[in-house]
Amino acid sequence: MNQRIQLASIDDQINVTAREAVRQRISWPVNLTPANVTYHSRGHALLLGKAHEVSYAARVLQNRGLASLTLLTTDIAPDIAAASEPLICHTLTDLQRSQLRITGYLGAFRAEVAVADNDTLNLAQALIERESFDVVLDVTAADISNSDQSWEIPPPGYIRLDWLTQEAQRNEILDSVVELVGEFDKPRYFQVNSDLCAHSSSGNVGCTRCLDVCPADAISSVQGRIESRIEIDPFLCQGVGSCTSACPTGAIEFRLPETRRQQDTLATWLAAYREAGGQAPVMRFVTHDFLDTERKAGVVTPGHVLDAPLEELGAAGHDQWLTALANGAAEVRIQLHDEMPPRLTTFITHQVAQAHGLLKALGHDATRVKLLQPEQAEERDALPSLTPLTDEALRFTEPHKRTRFNQVLATLTALGAPSNERYVMPEGAAYGGIEVDREACTLCHACVSNCPTPALKAGGDTPALSFLEADCVQCGLCEQACPENAITLLPGFLAAPERDTRHICHEEAAFECIGCGKPFATASTVATIKAKLADHPYFAGDALARLEMCEDCRVKDVWKAMIRDPDAQLKV
C-alpha cells in the first residue's frame, strides 16, 4: 500500500526509453476547438494613468495607425500635441477616480463614472462620440480604485504596464497596443450543460464553485424569469480551466477535446510506460509555457517524470491527480509558476487539500500529491519515495464526471485501508451526506425534484425517500427546497461502504383514498394539508373529507355536491 521504493532497482535509462515510447505512441489531447469568437478593433485607444507616463506612452503610439488616442490622467493635464490621429485629453477628479469602472473586452471597452441621480457617464461617448474604446493601456499600477473590476486576468485588449518594474519591457508592451487593430479570432473554450448544473433550482441558489474560481470573471449567474443559470462570456473566457475542475457534476467542460479525454490519456500513458519497461512513474502537471521555459534553459528531467502539458494548471484538479495514482503513478507533482493569478493559486491549493483529505481517508500517504515551486529543481527530479499503488490500468465505463471519479475512489479504496468514518474535508468540497428528520419529513419529494444528481430518489409506488451519498455534491438545493426544514447537510467524505450504497432516509405507509381505496399520498402529508386547510371555507364541514380522497374521487365528490345543491358554490 505505502511500500518504500528501492532506489537501487531504478534504471533511469530504461525509464527515459519508456517515456519516449509513450510520447511517440500517444499524444496528449490538445485544444481543437474552432475559432468562433471574433473581436473587432478599430484602434480607438484609451490610455489611463499619471500625466507623465501617459504622455510618454502617447508619443510612442502617435502616427502608428491607431484611430484615436484618449488620455485619461489621474493627476494633472498632459502636455502633448496632436499628431495624425485625434488626441483627446481629460483629467479625472478625485471623485471620478474612485468611481471609474472599466468593463468589456477588445473592441468593446466601456469606461464609466457615476454622475448625479444614480446615473453613469460613458466616457467614450462623451470624449470620442463612440459607445466604447477598443484598447485600454493601463499604466496606473493599480492606484485607481475600481471596485467592480475584480478580475485577476485582464480581458483581451486590456494591457497593464507597471511603469517602474517593467521598464525593460516598456517599448515591447507599447508596441503590442498598435498590433491590436483589426479582427482577431479565438476558440470558445467551454460548454455548459444546464441539465447537469447544480447552481439553481426552484428559485434557490446552490453550487457556486465555478463562479468562485474564475480569475477572468468570465462566469456569471444570470437570473431568468424563474431560475438562475450559469453563463460563460466567450469574449472574457481565456481557457484557464479551473471551472471545469471545480464543477462537481461535469456541467462545464472543454468543448474539444472533452475533459474526460484528458483522464483517459492519463490511464493510457501510464499503461504504455509500464509496457515499455518504465518504473516508478511520477506524473507532473505543468503548463506548456513552463515547459518551453525549461527547454530554453536546457533542463532535461529524469526518465521517471512524465509531464502532462496543460494550457493552465486549472485544467486538472484533484480528480485528475487521483486518477493518475489509481492508474499506477507513484506520485503526482503540480508544477506552480510565477505568473499564476491569486485566485488560481488559491484554487490549486484547495484542490491539493482535497486530494490529501481523500488519500488520508482511504488509508494512503498524502505525500503522493505534491506542489512544486518554480525553483524546486531537486524536488522536481527526485525519485518517488513510495512504490506505485497498482500496475493495472483503470478502464472507465461511464462518460459522466462524478461516476468516473467514483470509479477512481473505488479503486483507491480497494488498494487502501479506509477509515470507515466521515473524514473532515476542506470547506466547499463536494463530498458529504444529508440527515433527514423523519418526524418533520412528509415525503413531498421537493428535494428529489430539486436534486441535480441521482443522489435523491423517490420510492416509486411506495412513499419513500432514498439517498446515495456517492452522487451528492453538497450543493444544498435539497436543504433549501424542503418546506419542512427536514434536511441538513453533513459535509465530509464517508470512507465506508455505505457511501456507495443507496439507503432509505424515510418511508411511510401509503394513505388510501376513502372513496376508491387507491394509495395516493402519505398519512403525514394528508394530516399536514388537513391542518393547514381546516379553516378554508371550501373545505368546511363534510367537504374536509375531500382531502382524504384521490384526485379523481375529489372531483366526483364536488360534482355530486353541486347536483344536490347547485347554489352551494355561490356561498364560497
Side-chain angles (χ1 to χ4, degrees), residues 15-16 18-20 22-23 28 265-266 268-274 278-286 291 301-309 324 329 331-333 380:
N15 284 347
V16 169
R19 181 175 64 183
E20 187 59 29
V22 171
R23 290 174 176 172
W28 185 262
T265 304
L266 285 172
T268 308
W269 266 23
L270 288 162
Y273 179 81
R274 286 192 297 271
Q279 297 175 285
V282 170
M283 288 299 309
R284 182 173 66 138
F285 290 83
V286 59
L291 284 174
T301 55
H304 63 275
V305 177
L306 279 68
D307 291 327
E331 274 186 21
V332 166
R333 297 170 187 170
R380 176 199 65 205

Side-chain angles (χ1 to χ4, degrees), residues 1-2 325-326 358-359 361-364 389-390 392 394 405-420 493 495-497 500:
M1 180 175 61
N2 286 317
L325 296 181
L358 292 171
L359 287 172
L362 297 176
H364 297 292
L389 293 171
T390 181
E392 296 182 7
L394 175 60
F405 189 49
N406 282 334
Q407 282 187 255
V408 171
L409 293 175
T411 300
L412 293 176
T413 298
L415 296 169
S419 65
N420 288 315
F493 182 77
D500 300 305

Side-chain angles (χ1 to χ4, degrees), residues 185-204:
D185 296 330
K186 82 171 183 67
R188 188 184 296 263
Y189 294 106
F190 301 105
Q191 58 190 3
V192 181
N193 185 343
S194 298
D195 293 337
L196 298 176
C197 185
H199 174 59
S200 174
S201 181
S202 300
N204 297 314

Side-chain angles (χ1 to χ4, degrees), residues 556-571:
K556 292 176 183 177
D557 189 66
V558 170
W559 279 102
K560 288 178 182 178
M562 290 176 62
I563 292 171
R564 289 193 300 267
D565 184 4
D567 296 329
Q569 61 180 323
L570 302 177
K571 300 175 185 177

Side-chain angles (χ1 to χ4, degrees), residues 272-493:
Y273 179 81
R274 286 192 297 271
E275 289 174 11
Q279 297 175 285
V282 170
M283 288 299 309
R284 182 173 66 138
F285 290 83
V286 59
T287 65
H288 289 290
D289 291 343
F290 196 91
L291 284 174
D292 289 341
T293 301
E294 285 186 335
R295 291 189 191 102
K296 291 176 183 177
V299 173
V300 178
T301 55
H304 63 275
V305 177
L306 279 68
D307 291 327
L310 306 172
E311 295 288 338
E312 188 47 87
L313 290 183
H318 71 278
D319 58 328
Q320 305 275 336
W321 307 335
L322 296 191
T323 295
L325 296 181
N327 278 280
E331 274 186 21
V332 166
R333 297 170 187 170
I334 301 98
Q335 181 69 68
L336 303 178
H337 58 86
D338 293 327
E339 298 179 0
M340 291 175 62
R343 213 175 305 181
L344 180 57
T345 302
T346 300
F347 169 73
I348 293 294
T349 303
H350 188 260
Q351 290 287 300
V352 170
Q354 290 193 57
H356 286 174
L358 292 171
L359 287 172
K360 290 176 182 177
L362 297 176
H364 297 292
D365 195 320
T367 61
R368 288 186 182 273
V369 175
K370 298 177 179 178
L371 284 177
L372 289 177
Q373 298 299 326
E375 68 281 359
Q376 289 183 309
E378 187 174 341
E379 289 83 351
R380 176 199 65 205
D381 295 343
L383 280 167
S385 57
L386 300 169
T387 59
L389 293 171
T390 181
D391 58 0
E392 296 182 7
L394 175 60
R395 299 189 183 279
F396 294 105
T397 58
E398 295 286 341
H400 301 299
K401 178 177 182 176
R402 186 71 173 199
T403 308
R404 291 164 72 91
F405 189 49
N406 282 334
Q407 282 187 255
V408 171
L409 293 175
T411 300
L412 293 176
T413 298
L415 296 169
S419 65
N420 288 315
E421 298 176 353
R422 186 172 298 281
Y423 192 89
V424 176
M425 293 289 288
E427 184 178 356
Y431 306 101
I434 62 170
E435 188 175 76
V436 177
D437 184 344
R438 299 190 178 209
E439 297 297 323
C441 178
T442 61
L443 292 175
C444 68
H445 293 147
C447 54
V448 176
S449 61
N450 282 270
C451 183
T453 74
L456 284 167
K457 284 187 177 180
D461 295 334
T462 304
L465 174 66
S466 67
F467 177 69
L468 178 61
E469 182 162 334
D471 287 336
C472 180
V473 297
Q474 294 287 287
C475 65
L477 288 174
C478 60
E479 185 180 43
Q480 296 181 62
C482 180
E484 312 299 340
N485 296 319
I487 297 179
T488 304
L489 296 182
L490 294 175
F493 182 77

Side-chain angles (χ1 to χ4, degrees), residues 177-240:
V177 175
V178 179
E179 296 170 357
L180 292 176
V181 180
E183 289 191 359
F184 303 87
D185 296 330
K186 82 171 183 67
R188 188 184 296 263
Y189 294 106
F190 301 105
Q191 58 190 3
V192 181
N193 185 343
S194 298
D195 293 337
L196 298 176
C197 185
H199 174 59
S200 174
S201 181
S202 300
N204 297 314
V205 174
C207 178
T208 60
R209 294 177 178 94
C210 61
L211 294 167
D212 299 335
V213 301
C214 179
D217 278 356
I219 306 177
S220 58
S221 174
V222 178
Q223 179 62 54
R225 190 169 60 88
I226 298 176
E227 304 288 3
S228 298
R229 67 183 184 277
I230 289 295
E231 285 191 359
I232 300 178
D233 189 331
F235 291 95
L236 295 178
C237 175
Q238 299 184 52
V240 172

